[in-house]
Amino acid sequence: MAALLAEGMTPDDHLLDIGCGALRLGHKAVPFLKRGHYWGTDASLALMRHGRIHELPDPARLPEDHLVEDAAFAFPGIPETITLAIAFGVFTHLPAPMLATALGNLRRFPNLKAALFTVFHSDEAGPTRQPDGVVTHPDRPPYHVGTAATEAAIRAAGFIPRLKPMLLPRGQVLWSATPPQIP
């Protein structure tokens, strides 16, 4: 929530929580946003449904059809009203090309103000020990990607990259990808 609030999220925003799992963020975002303004995607519909029932103070605030099974980052059925997107701790578990796919597919949301996501950074060709001790890899989970490669993926998708200064768990770094028309 802190990253989204720092990005200027208000209850009027329409949030897409990519890789939302059991609603780790959703249990805070759903009560904050206006009813129907939260959408979540994950590879497991069962996990999202479990989170809806067991993590939300009022599950009725989140329509079940706002939870979309999507392992390919295609965002099927997600409305064009999305204004913010976040993928926290998602791309640390996936090969770098999946980030490029997700960013490219986010371009279809005309009202998107920013997409936030985390990665581990390293330009090493082999394993890298991150600041908290976790060892990341270029070719297996947990994955790392170079700073320049991350910035290039954001630009290739038509966004402006901004590395955010927030201190995150396990040494992850936070990026914001914004459309060119957003200052």
Side-chain angles (χ1 to χ4, degrees), residues 68-82:
V68 178
E69 189 168 42
D70 178 24
F73 304 104
F75 312 123
I78 304 297
E80 290 187 352
T81 56
I82 296 300

Side-chain angles (χ1 to χ4, degrees), residues 147-180:
T147 304
T150 304
E151 187 172 336
I154 295 168
R155 289 190 190 283
F159 291 109
I160 297 169
R162 286 185 302 161
L163 185 57
K164 308 295 264 181
M166 294 186 86
L167 181 62
L168 300 174
R170 305 188 75 204
Q172 295 178 68
V173 293
L174 179 66
W175 283 89
S176 172
T178 55

Side-chain angles (χ1 to χ4, degrees), residues 128-151:
T128 299
R129 186 167 302 283
Q130 297 292 332
D132 83 332
V134 67
V135 176
T136 61
H137 310 271
D139 57 353
R140 65 183 172 92
Y143 288 91
H144 64 241
V145 64
T147 304
T150 304
E151 187 172 336

Side-chain angles (χ1 to χ4, degrees), residues 16-25 38-51 66-76 78 86-90 93-94:
L16 173 57
D17 187 359
I18 302 164
C20 68
L23 306 183
R24 175 180 60 198
L25 167 65
Y38 175 94
W39 288 79
T41 64
D42 197 88
S44 172
L45 183 58
L47 183 59
M48 292 184 289
R49 286 178 174 164
H50 179 85
H66 282 218
L67 301 174
V68 178
E69 189 168 42
D70 178 24
F73 304 104
F75 312 123
I78 304 297
I86 190 165
F88 198 98
V90 174
H93 302 291
L94 299 169

Side-chain angles (χ1 to χ4, degrees), residues 52-76:
R52 179 179 175 270
I53 298 301
H54 297 286
E55 300 297 333
L56 296 181
D58 179 8
R61 284 192 50 85
L62 175 59
E64 193 169 325
D65 67 349
H66 282 218
L67 301 174
V68 178
E69 189 168 42
D70 178 24
F73 304 104
F75 312 123

